[in-house]
Amino acid sequence: MIDKKGRLFGLVSLIDLFAVAVVAAVVAVVYFNVGASGRPVVGAEQPVYITFFSPALEDFTVNALAENTPVIDDANGTFLGTVVSVAVGESIAIMPDMHGNEVASPMDGFYSVAITSRVYGGTTGGAVVLGGNVYAVGEEVIIWAGRAKTMLHISDIRVEE
């Protein structure tokens, strides 16, 4: 079985086999210790409210939003809940005034919008995990809500009490 040169069946060196086994063991240890800790620890699924906000949406987009419609992430098709409220207000545009100071002023034909959806998901560290994707406050996302497709940012995530 082992020849004069220390090869198993005349093909593979025992030292090479030992080196491969050591490397495989190190890779397994690193994966299970470091790789596993990189995954979010998610709590049990529970009702979560996600609020999406835009400081300025065109009036035709605002008119296409409706309660009781699904919210879908356009990038990956993840269901982000059902719209429970649409709050419309004066648009917020930050522009310089005559003196160079930045001031908030409304724009004609635009409105600020806060869309709140309700979904069942696991939470972790102030974020919600839906369909294997982590959504956190401050993240920008392109969504479908009703007949409207728009980019908003997540302004709040809270667990239903």
Side-chain angles (χ1 to χ4, degrees):
M1 289 197 2
I2 299 176
D3 66 8
K4 295 177 193 175
K5 295 181 181 177
R7 294 181 294 186
L8 188 62
F9 301 111
L11 300 172
V12 180
S13 167
L14 291 178
I15 295 171
D16 292 341
L17 281 177
F18 179 73
V20 168
V22 168
V23 169
V26 168
V27 167
V29 167
V30 169
Y31 174 76
F32 288 112
N33 288 325
V34 176
S37 67
R39 297 184 190 114
V41 177
V42 180
E45 287 199 355
Q46 56 193 331
V48 177
Y49 290 98
I50 305 172
T51 302
F52 304 90
F53 180 77
S54 176
L57 284 181
E58 301 88 352
D59 57 357
F60 59 85
T61 303
V62 173
N63 293 334
L65 298 171
E67 291 182 5
N68 300 317
T69 58
V71 178
I72 307 293
D73 183 341
D74 184 59
N76 54 32
T78 300
F79 177 70
L80 300 176
T82 302
V83 177
V84 294
S85 71
V86 177
V88 179
E90 192 172 64
S91 64
I92 305 167
I94 307 297
M95 299 180 174
D97 64 7
M98 294 173 42
H99 306 290
N101 300 318
E102 290 186 348
V103 295
S105 60
M107 297 186 307
D108 289 336
F110 288 80
Y111 300 91
S112 66
V113 175
I115 302 167
T116 301
S117 70
R118 182 177 184 266
V119 66
Y120 280 87
T123 57
T124 177
V128 63
V129 179
L130 301 168
N133 301 301
V134 179
Y135 295 91
V137 172
E139 183 178 342
E140 286 190 336
V141 62
I142 298 173
I143 64 168
W144 282 95
R147 297 173 306 153
K149 177 182 177 182
T150 187
M151 183 169 66
L152 304 121
H153 72 271
I154 298 173
S155 61
D156 187 36
I157 296 174
R158 63 181 165 53
V159 176
E160 181 178 78
E161 296 177 9

